[in-house]
Amino acid sequence: MIAGRAPKAAMVVAQHIIRDTTRGGLKAGDLLPSERVMLEKYQIGRGTLREALRLLEFQGVIALKPGPKGGPILLDPDGSHLAGTIILLMQLKQAPFSVIAEARTALEPMISRLAAERMDDETLKSLDATIVQMRDSLSDQHVFLEANKSFHDLIAWSSGNPLFGYIVDSLLGIMDGTVIGIDYPPHRREAIIVAHADIYEALARRDPAESEERMREHINAYTRYAQRKYPELLGQVIQWDRALG
């Protein structure tokens, strides 16, 4: 923002709506107050309010439910909107795909350490289910990689740190490198399953140090594979439209 420039009215209203939503304890699925109520509460025009709601809709915070009993409904946003911003900024900075591998090497081992201390039993069962799905889908790379993403997503959110959850969630669509052409033949998929099983066992034992080390080995193996088989792709800039298409 340029120094001295006042925030746009619609942005201020959007910020007030979120402030009042959190203070009021509203949860995902709850309807926000009606247009009439918000117009009176915030003392604004209908155009400003609707622009504020469009800003929140664009950020994935609300959806506009049609019908006589409709209105703005609160959502539980995922990392897709953050993903779009991150990839766009990476493209503008001409950042290569290798920065994704570097970020994973720095973050995911620590995330796994925290998850070992904080993951609940139900999530642990879900984590095991992703490994079963990967074994059952060894010949189907698409299903296999979706289960792979779920494995890493579950661990990230189990860290108890929502920032880690959103960061990993936002990178799930690009972190395996398939959007730039990295492929995973059956022998590589089998190695991933073994690594995931080792991480799972460490998490199940609630062993933070081992969980961190097993995840570090897993990410390092992924990086070595990409460097050996696809060195030219690691230097490729991820395109905003391609990654989100």
Side-chain angles (χ1 to χ4, degrees):
M1 182 186 300
I2 298 174
R5 176 177 292 180
K8 194 172 182 180
M11 177 60 74
V12 173
V13 174
Q15 292 166 348
H16 287 171
I17 291 171
I18 294 301
R19 178 200 63 194
D20 294 341
T21 295
T22 53
R23 286 178 179 175
L26 295 182
K27 306 295 183 185
D30 291 343
L31 278 169
L32 270 61
S34 68
E35 181 181 89
R36 179 184 58 79
V37 169
M38 285 195 281
L39 287 173
E40 183 176 342
K41 181 175 184 177
Y42 300 119
Q43 292 295 295
I44 54 173
R46 182 172 283 106
T48 300
L49 175 60
R50 291 182 176 176
E51 185 178 352
L53 293 175
R54 282 195 296 270
L55 286 171
L56 295 177
E57 184 181 28
F58 179 74
Q59 294 296 330
V61 176
I62 66 168
L64 299 178
K65 183 180 179 182
K69 293 185 178 181
I73 184 170
L74 193 63
L75 301 178
D76 182 12
D78 57 25
S80 59
H81 292 79
L82 177 60
T85 300
I86 289 175
I87 297 167
L88 173 58
L89 294 176
M90 285 177 59
Q91 181 177 348
L92 291 173
K93 287 291 186 182
Q94 291 293 290
F97 181 78
S98 59
V99 303
I100 298 294
E102 191 172 274
R104 293 187 68 189
T105 301
L107 289 175
E108 289 203 73
M110 177 55 67
I111 289 171
S112 191
R113 169 181 278 274
L114 293 173
E117 300 170 338
R118 301 171 180 177
M119 182 178 288
D120 59 41
D121 292 340
E122 195 62 35
T123 306
L124 200 60
K125 291 179 182 176
S126 297
L127 197 68
D128 185 43
T130 68
I131 299 173
V132 172
Q133 185 178 17
M134 292 170 77
R135 289 196 182 105
D136 292 344
S137 306
L138 194 61
S139 60
D140 187 329
Q141 179 164 285
H142 175 74
V143 175
F144 179 92
L145 290 177
E146 286 302 310
N148 174 63
K149 292 172 185 176
S150 296
F151 179 89
H152 287 274
D153 199 33
L154 285 166
I155 293 174
W157 284 106
S158 294
S159 70
N161 186 318
L163 182 56
F164 285 154
Y166 277 117
I167 289 173
V168 171
D169 197 21
S170 71
L171 297 177
L172 285 175
I174 58 173
M175 70 182 190
D176 59 31
T178 52
V179 295
I180 60 171
I182 293 178
D183 188 43
Y184 295 87
H187 74 274
R188 181 58 197 148
R189 293 177 218 167
E190 290 171 355
I192 292 172
I193 292 173
V194 171
H196 281 205
D198 288 343
I199 294 167
Y200 168 81
E201 291 298 334
L203 290 168
R205 288 193 293 271
R206 312 295 182 183
D207 188 328
E210 187 179 357
S211 297
E212 179 179 1
E213 185 57 28
R214 296 290 83 78
M215 181 63 80
R216 180 174 290 108
E217 290 174 354
H218 175 41
I219 302 301
N220 285 341
Y222 154 78
T223 303
R224 288 194 301 271
Y225 170 75
Q227 288 172 338
R228 186 175 68 254
K229 295 291 187 179
Y230 302 96
E232 73 288 352
L233 294 182
L234 289 177
Q236 183 174 313
V237 174
I238 302 173
Q239 301 299 309
W240 185 42
D241 57 342
R242 183 178 176 187
L244 299 179

